[in-house]
DNA sequence: ATTATCTATAGATCTATAGATAATGC
DNA sequence: ATTATCTATAGATCTATAGATAATGC
């Protein structure tokens, strides 16, 4: 808290009030875009609509971003890292994040119904695949980080096996959530999330929920 | 071949030349849209561009579809079923499709680089999730069909275990391909596809490619 | 007579920019 | 003096429709 206050004061001393204000506005625009992109897709809304939600008008946008693609890169990037944040929150709460807890939260109904605050990969991967090189480079880095995080939650295995299992886990989580959201059948949607979650937590047995 | 000819003749007798012609045109539009949607996304091009590629002009579109959403539903639906077609092709070639072959083809570089002719789920799932109810209902049905097909390629297991494994397989294939396409790092992209492919083919061992 | 397709366009977007206004910061 | 934000708009889209044209099918 003390650190936080000193940061704000430093910003004001070094940057002046309006620059700090601009940065706050910039972050607000990115936060809104980051949520709305996950909810509506990378082409799901226009700049005017975004700026209106931020309490601004369309003309101000280009003092913050050189182009719409700039916003996409920054907002997608800011959508990344949900596992890292979950891990830090769990640790500061005294209960370190477990592999099973990560899986259960990912496969939860709350996550399925709220893409705007959830994993950017299950919400956007195919659209990121069609984005510019810069966004895809940022995505490479994030996949690498998330794999390391998953490997860290899989102790007691040799490094190579843990990496393989992390890659399978990551892929299955993203695919299961993308499929579960794409279908209208509630029962099948829940079956996919529960089945994949159980098998990922207990890969030895193929028999789950009995 | 004889059956094919008699079908064409029957169509001409019953429907008249122009109706048969219209149906052919309709199918051509859907086939192009089906490919381009997978390549560029559901919002990736306009009706004028699509009709131009079909050798037509924009005005004719609405004699074939009530709305753009109608086209999306039909074209996405027509993009489905790649495994069924693969299975039929393999069988008519005398070499029934195996589980391992389906996995290897799915995880191939050819598939990764050619979304337009590949799996509609890995190319479009999050965008389908934002589509209208009708498209999502068609998607439910297709997921069900594809799960049955996968279960049929997994003999020697009890029904429940086979269904669980089919669901994990489907999810992991879709997620791995979506991630592999979203990143710019070629080595990591290939690592994801190879690792997930190996683990899905050999779920007992977590050690692959050695 | 019917209708698939064409040309042309209405009306609603979209991204991006120009120039005015108002606030900070020297 | 600088610049974040505003209003206004250019120019390029987009979906959908109106009305003309040309072909099939009775």
């Amino acid at each position: 808290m003390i650190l936080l206050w000193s940061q704000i004061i430093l910003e004001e001393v070094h940057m002046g009030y309006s620059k700090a204000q601009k940065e706050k506005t910039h972050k607000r625009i990115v936060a809104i875009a980051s949520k709305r992109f996950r909810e509506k897709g990378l082409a799901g809304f226009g700049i005017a609509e975004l700026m209106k939600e931020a309490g601004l008008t369309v003309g101000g946008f280009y003092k913050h971003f050189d182009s719409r693609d700039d916003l996409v890169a920054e907002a997608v990037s800011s959508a990344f890292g949900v596992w890292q944040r979950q891990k830090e929150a769990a640790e500061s709460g005294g209960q370190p994040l477990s592999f099973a807890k990560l899986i259960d939260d990912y496969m939860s109904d709350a996550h399925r119904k709220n893409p705007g605050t959830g994993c950017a990969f299950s919400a956007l991967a195919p659209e990121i695949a069609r984005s510019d090189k810069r966004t895809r480079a940022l995505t490479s880095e994030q996949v690498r980080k998330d794999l390391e995080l998953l490997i860290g939650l899989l102790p007691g295995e040799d490094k190579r096996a843990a990496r393989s299992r992390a890659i399978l886990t990551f892929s299955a989580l993203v695919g299961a959530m993308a499929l579960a959201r794409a279908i209208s059948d509630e029962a099948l949607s829940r079956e996919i999330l529960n089945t994949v979650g159980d098998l990922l937590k207990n890969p030895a047995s193929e028999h789950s929920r009995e």
Side-chain angles (χ1 to χ4, degrees), chain A:
Chain A
M1 210 33 160
I2 288 162
L3 185 69
L4 196 64
W5 275 105
S6 72
Q7 276 181 329
I8 290 171
I9 289 161
L10 276 171
E11 275 168 6
E12 284 177 354
V13 167
H14 287 296
M15 315 176 71
Y17 175 67
S18 85
K19 276 194 186 172
Q21 192 65 31
K22 188 188 178 188
E23 199 177 304
K24 238 181 96 182
T25 302
H26 186 96
K27 282 180 179 165
R28 191 169 74 249
I29 297 169
V30 171
I32 294 167
S34 170
K35 187 177 185 188
R36 296 292 173 234
F37 279 145
R38 279 174 281 179
E39 286 171 354
K40 304 173 144 200
L42 297 185
F45 54 89
I47 289 161
E49 187 181 330
L50 169 69
M51 293 300 273
K52 189 172 183 182
E53 191 178 343
L56 299 164
T57 58
V58 63
F61 179 84
Y62 293 91
K63 281 278 195 284
H64 287 280
F65 307 93
D66 282 347
S67 68
R68 193 184 191 281
D69 276 349
D70 257 43
L71 169 71
V72 168
E74 199 175 331
V76 166
S77 206
S78 122
F80 287 148
V82 286
W83 290 335
Q84 186 61 38
R85 288 191 284 277
Q86 187 186 0
K87 193 183 169 216
E88 282 159 13
E91 278 163 3
S92 76
Q95 184 81 314
L97 180 64
S98 72
F99 185 72
K101 168 86 170 124
L102 181 145
I103 304 262
D104 287 340
D105 282 5
Y106 198 99
M107 297 310 212
S108 69
D109 254 38
H111 186 203
R112 181 171 59 122
K113 287 180 182 157
N114 297 287
T117 55
C119 171
F121 297 104
S122 47
L124 293 171
E127 290 179 88
I128 291 172
R130 296 173 212 118
S131 298
D132 59 27
K133 183 97 185 186
R134 191 172 28 133
T135 301
R136 285 165 51 245
L138 291 166
T139 305
S140 297
E141 278 317 300
Q142 189 59 39
V143 169
R144 234 186 290 279
K145 280 184 203 165
D146 284 338
L147 286 177
E148 288 304 322
L149 187 147
L150 286 173
I151 291 169
L153 299 180
L154 287 168
E157 302 187 73
D158 74 83
K159 234 191 137 177
R160 186 163 177 185
R163 182 169 178 87
S164 290
R165 190 170 165 202
I167 291 173
L168 176 65
T169 300
F170 198 170
S171 300
L173 289 176
V174 168
M177 184 53 72
L179 287 176
R181 286 188 183 137
I183 63 183
S184 56
D185 183 315
E186 276 287 310
L188 185 56
S189 178
R190 277 290 354 145
E191 185 192 3
I192 291 168
L193 297 178
N194 290 337
T195 302
V196 173
D198 286 347
L199 285 179
L200 290 177
K201 285 185 284 183
N202 186 17
S205 160
E206 299 253 314
H207 303 73
S208 53
R209 311 226 142 205
E210 40 201 357

